[in-house]
Amino acid sequence: MTCAYCGTAAALTQPGRFCSPNHRVYFHRDALRARRAHLADEADAALRAGDPALLEQVARRTVALLAQTIS
């Protein structure tokens, strides 16, 4: 199997595992940053469009992401 972060071949028991605890942290950190950046882009587009319903949807997804991050 290969590490889900660096792709290095390692003796892993299941796919999607990591070769070190640091790589697990880096993988999830990078995924969180990408989701936050995507939500920021969506919020910018909603603001440019002037659509309050779309902006509310983005706000709800942002709150859900923050709740998931905190818990």
Side-chain angles (χ1 to χ4, degrees):
M1 300 283 170
T2 60
C3 174
Y5 181 73
C6 68
T8 301
L12 304 174
T13 57
Q14 297 175 356
R17 298 295 180 157
F18 306 92
C19 62
S20 74
N22 284 340
H23 281 192
R24 178 180 175 82
V25 170
Y26 299 156
F27 178 84
H28 291 293
R29 178 200 62 197
D30 293 348
L32 179 61
R33 285 180 178 170
R35 290 193 334 222
R36 285 185 358 213
H38 182 71
L39 283 170
D41 292 341
E42 287 185 26
D44 289 342
L47 287 170
R48 279 192 300 275
D51 185 358
L54 183 58
L55 188 58
E56 183 179 349
Q57 290 175 358
V58 174
R60 289 182 188 278
R61 286 197 306 271
T62 303
V63 169
L65 177 63
L66 289 172
Q68 180 184 15
T69 304
I70 293 170
S71 63

